[in-house]
Amino acid sequence: MSTDKATVAEFLEQLEPLDVRARAMFGEYGLYCDDKLVALIADDQLLVKPSAAAADYAEESWLVPPYPGAKPYFRIPESKLAESAWLREFVQRTADVLPARVPKPRKSSAKPQ
């Protein structure tokens, strides 16, 4: 099952004014905050990446793999999705504790001689 684009738009709207964007990946979506992958949107569910900040926001029982064979993420229950301030804080704190993205070096287009 794939995520509806309207669901992605709802999550992005709910997280305003954070610096967030969604990017299509593997048939679902990655959610980025401050250019860091902080969550996945899969099967119309929001799954936040485990981090040092999670202990203050999530319960161990929320940990589920977003797809078979994947590492577990925290699936946010419907009751918590309604709490916009809590959700914004959780996403921002997760981004704050994740390491900065290291850009991959660009391959040179010059042909070797």
Side-chain angles (χ1 to χ4, degrees):
M1 189 168 145
S2 63
T3 297
D4 189 322
K5 288 182 181 182
T7 301
V8 176
E10 287 175 25
F11 286 142
L12 292 175
E13 183 178 322
Q14 189 171 12
L15 292 168
E16 288 179 352
L18 296 180
D19 178 19
V20 293
R21 65 183 171 88
R23 181 175 170 211
M25 56 190 316
F26 311 114
E28 296 290 357
Y29 293 86
L31 183 73
Y32 292 79
C33 181
D34 299 335
D35 288 326
K36 298 174 185 177
L37 179 65
V38 295
L40 300 175
I41 303 171
D43 293 333
D44 292 319
Q45 306 260 341
L46 182 63
L47 299 116
V48 177
K49 191 173 195 172
S51 71
D56 294 334
Y57 297 91
E59 298 175 18
E60 290 290 319
S61 63
W62 299 356
L63 281 171
V64 296
Y67 52 88
K71 292 181 181 178
Y73 276 54
F74 289 101
R75 181 176 49 208
I76 307 303
E78 286 288 325
S79 61
K80 289 303 226 178
L81 287 174
E83 297 179 32
S84 296
W86 174 89
L87 187 59
R88 283 191 300 272
E89 189 175 306
F90 186 12
V91 168
Q92 184 63 65
R93 291 263 328 268
T94 300
D96 291 346
V97 299
L98 292 176
R101 194 178 124 234
V102 177
K104 293 180 182 178
R106 293 184 173 230
K107 292 183 180 180
S108 173
S109 59
K111 294 181 181 178
Q113 296 186 4

